[in-house]
Amino acid sequence: MTQQGVRWTADQVLALAPDAPSRKAGSKLGVAGPWSQAESSGEGMVWGLCKGSGSKPYQTVVDVADAAGPAYKCSCPSRKFPCKHALGLLLLWAEADGSVPDAQTLPDWAEQWAEGRRKRAQTKRDTDAAGGAAADPEAVRRRAERRAERVTAGASELEQRLADLLRGGLASAEQAGYGMWEETAARMVDAQAPGLAARVRELGAIPASGPGWPVRLLEECALLHLLDRGWLRRDLLPAELAATVRSRIGLPSSADGRPTRDRWLVLAQYDTADSRLTTRRIWLHGTESGHTALLLSYGAAGRAPALSLPVGLALDAELSAYAGDGQLRADLGEQFTAPAPSPVRPQGAGVAEAAARYGDALGRDPWLESWPVTLSRVIPTPDEASGGWQLADAEDDLERPDPAGADSERLAVPITPKAAGPGLWRLAALSGGAPVTVFGECGHRGFTPLTAWPEGPGEAVALC
């Protein structure tokens, strides 16, 4: 249940918007004028009637206590989730100025929606339980063996193609164009190895990526060769590393770790999309355990995933981890309280320690692109050498111990070019030349800031 009187901030509400036009339209409706009978309950339900262009007002209801993030229902014809009316209602509720008072009972139309959701959730739990009990372990084992055989054949073929490329010289990759890689990727799809297929497709873009592309192509080919060899000799690998290889190959896995209950702070949420899928990444921090976890949620192309947890909220819940060396992905299990704002911040580190953490993680998973890190007391500054930006240790923190044992000096990490944009300017404005705490992803291309906190009291600011 939600705590009565604890409401989200406007930034946390607007983070739910599926796009910029919805954010703008929802902001216009976040005032009392168009609303009537707007109320909320202690169980996390918020509802109201919004005047529209027709004679009947739109019926809007939101469940902010849902375990998978807010759930919405509106009688408007919009196909966006949440629609502008749901965003406006939540903005009005977030103001906590009495425009959305507490109520004991829901109106009939809101109660019918809530009851329908409860019944569907129970039906799904019953179906999942029945399906799990009915699964034939022997049939599952045979399917896994057949897929492993196909993946092995695909990995062996890819090894031969990489060897042919190196014998013919990397210049041949530029001459052959993207078609060669797309055909190889299609072969990996046929082999049911989507992880290999995705990495092969990335190789196709490297020859057109500018000066120095042969070095980058050779590096990526080496990582792909390492993954191939890891799969072909997986029986000789430690169990955790073998699980990482299977995950990188693209074999399905499940969260089979023991559930960990904690109060999980939402550090960041952002989406990436391609022509087939929208992937949402949500980073969580265990306020008691100190662990970092990643939730993944998927939606069809052009559709936002269902799971949504705005930055700055915390929830008392169980997470189950996936197998793999250094694996941070987890599944959200039972939730004991609704997400609510939290003043807690993750403990940060200096630039040197953050780089050391990334290096340690890379040693356990060579195919890792980045690692989540919180930098404390860093200042965003322009980097004259590259023309970009960097995060530098504050000058008065020079005595902070370096885990590598180097002499104390002011260190900095470059901000990745992809982070340039409104988020970078929000970070610079929040800092104003003063130290800030920044959570983000540290990788071989630099640091991607995702969320920041001011030096003194203040709420989290989402940068993505």
Side-chain angles (χ1 to χ4, degrees), residues 74-386:
C74 185
S75 59
C76 76
S78 174
R79 301 183 68 177
K80 295 181 179 180
F81 296 94
C83 67
K84 62 181 181 181
H85 305 102
L87 289 171
L89 178 61
L90 287 178
L91 287 171
L92 188 65
W93 169 73
E95 287 294 327
D97 59 358
S99 298
V100 184
D102 293 330
Q104 298 300 319
T105 58
L106 280 69
D108 290 342
W109 54 271
E111 178 60 38
Q112 290 174 4
W113 174 73
E115 180 61 25
R117 294 185 66 250
R118 286 193 289 267
K119 289 181 178 179
R120 288 191 294 273
Q122 184 60 49
T123 299
K124 184 179 185 303
R125 287 193 292 269
D126 293 343
T127 301
D128 291 345
D136 182 355
E138 181 62 23
V140 171
R141 184 189 64 80
R142 289 195 299 268
R143 286 195 298 269
E145 288 181 350
R146 288 194 296 267
R147 180 166 187 177
E149 291 172 358
R150 286 191 286 268
V151 173
T152 297
S156 300
E157 179 180 346
L158 182 56
E159 280 289 275
Q160 184 61 51
R161 296 197 177 204
L162 291 175
D164 292 343
L165 172 65
L166 295 179
R167 273 196 297 267
L170 295 180
S172 62
E174 187 176 29
Q175 299 167 358
Y178 190 77
M180 175 185 72
W181 301 109
E182 184 59 35
E183 190 269 338
T184 304
R187 295 287 296 168
M188 297 305 103
V189 172
D190 293 341
Q192 293 186 294
L196 292 179
R199 287 183 171 271
V200 168
R201 288 194 180 96
E202 292 174 359
L203 295 181
I206 294 179
S209 62
W213 69 262
V215 173
R216 293 191 292 275
L217 180 60
L218 186 60
E219 290 173 347
E220 294 302 321
C221 285
L223 286 173
L224 190 53
H225 165 71
L226 184 64
L227 183 56
D228 269 345
R229 299 304 298 173
W231 170 261
L232 295 174
R233 306 188 69 178
R234 61 192 181 279
D235 293 341
L236 303 179
L237 299 178
E240 288 296 303
L241 182 56
T244 298
V245 169
R246 287 194 293 269
S247 174
R248 294 297 182 184
I249 287 285
L251 296 186
S253 60
S254 59
D256 54 4
R258 182 178 180 180
T260 300
R261 181 175 177 177
D262 204 334
R263 186 157 184 81
W264 299 96
L265 174 67
V266 183
L267 293 177
Q269 173 179 291
Y270 68 95
D271 295 349
T272 57
D274 56 31
S275 60
R276 299 178 297 276
L277 197 67
T278 298
T279 302
R280 173 164 293 166
R281 290 171 170 81
I282 301 177
W283 286 108
L284 302 177
H285 167 74
T287 59
E288 297 179 6
S289 65
H291 294 163
T292 301
L294 174 65
L295 303 181
L296 293 181
S297 181
Y298 302 96
R303 302 275 304 206
L307 181 62
S308 182
L309 296 171
V311 172
L313 300 185
L315 59 156
D316 183 2
E318 290 183 340
L319 296 185
S320 296
Y322 282 69
D325 202 8
Q327 176 69 264
L328 296 180
R329 185 184 174 187
D331 274 352
L332 181 61
E334 184 176 358
Q335 183 179 350
F336 303 97
T337 62
S342 172
V344 176
R345 301 180 183 185
Q347 185 176 2
V351 170
E353 184 178 350
R357 291 181 185 178
Y358 170 59
D360 178 66
L362 197 63
R364 289 179 279 118
D365 181 355
W367 308 279
L368 191 68
E369 288 292 330
S370 60
W371 188 254
V373 173
T374 300
L375 296 174
S376 65
R377 293 186 54 77
V378 290
I379 302 174
T381 59
D383 182 3
E384 295 181 359
S386 67

